[in-house]
Amino acid sequence: MERNDFMRAAASLAEKNVADGTGGPFGAVIVRKGEIIGEGTNIVTSSHDPTAHAEVVAIRQACQKLGTFNLEGCEIYTSCEPCPMCLSAIYWARLDRIYYGNTKADAAAIDFDDDFLYKEIPKPMHERAIPTEQILREETIKSFEAWAVSETKIPY
């Protein structure tokens, strides 16, 4: 298969998801060495999980299949430019490359507008829409201190 075939696979998942009524019009596949190792659709509404975007679902499936949290050597094909959450997940998973079909402007045109999030992220915490307050650092820091000296930690 070639890259266009993988993008067609992602687009097909998105179209089927709409037809099945299981979520939004988004599909994604993760490819390693020319083979699809993970696929996902947006199942936010059917799974009652706001993080169940196509890219995140595909990343979870690929990681389970490979038995790792690190997807170096893999690429993602997604039917739409990733939202901020999915883009972060892609970076955390260490995927090598992103291919996308529709743009965030295309998504906004059908009421999937992530522009609010893109504008929130760079704001200082005290200016964001959701109030954010630091509490109990002297207690929560203990787990970080334990991690810093742990001999069994797996860095990621």
Side-chain angles (χ1 to χ4, degrees):
M1 291 178 75
E2 299 178 355
R3 15 181 236 188
N4 288 349
D5 296 319
F6 295 125
M7 182 56 73
R8 286 185 185 106
S12 178
L13 286 169
E15 290 174 32
K16 184 177 183 320
N17 204 46
V18 172
D20 292 348
T22 50
F26 304 97
V29 297
I30 305 225
V31 176
R32 180 175 165 223
K33 297 179 182 175
E35 175 190 351
I36 294 174
I37 58 162
E39 59 182 39
T41 58
N42 177 297
I43 54 170
V44 169
T45 55
S46 60
S47 69
H48 310 290
D49 179 355
T51 69
H53 290 200
E55 297 91 337
V56 172
V57 172
I59 288 168
R60 289 173 181 162
Q61 189 179 95
C63 287
Q64 287 297 309
K65 181 173 184 171
L66 297 179
T68 183
F69 56 83
N70 186 327
L71 295 178
E72 286 177 312
C74 300
E75 303 169 333
I76 189 165
Y77 294 78
T78 179
S79 63
C80 187
E81 184 177 356
C83 74
M85 177 185 69
C86 293
L87 185 60
S88 297
I90 289 165
Y91 273 90
W92 279 114
R94 294 173 176 78
L95 288 154
D96 291 354
R97 184 180 281 275
I98 302 166
Y99 295 98
Y100 67 94
N102 298 309
T103 66
K104 61 184 177 182
D106 296 328
I110 59 165
D111 297 326
F112 287 94
D113 192 357
D114 299 327
D115 194 47
F116 169 76
L117 295 173
Y118 283 105
K119 289 177 180 174
E120 278 290 287
I121 292 169
K123 287 182 181 178
M125 280 194 251
H126 69 278
E127 292 179 15
R128 292 183 184 162
I130 298 176
T132 305
E133 179 180 353
Q134 182 181 26
I135 62 172
L136 295 178
R137 182 177 183 275
E138 17 342 287
E139 293 179 31
T140 60
I141 197 69
K142 292 176 185 175
S143 63
F144 280 28
E145 292 166 346
W147 174 263
V149 298
S150 173
E151 293 183 17
T152 61
K153 69 181 169 191
I154 300 171
Y156 60 95

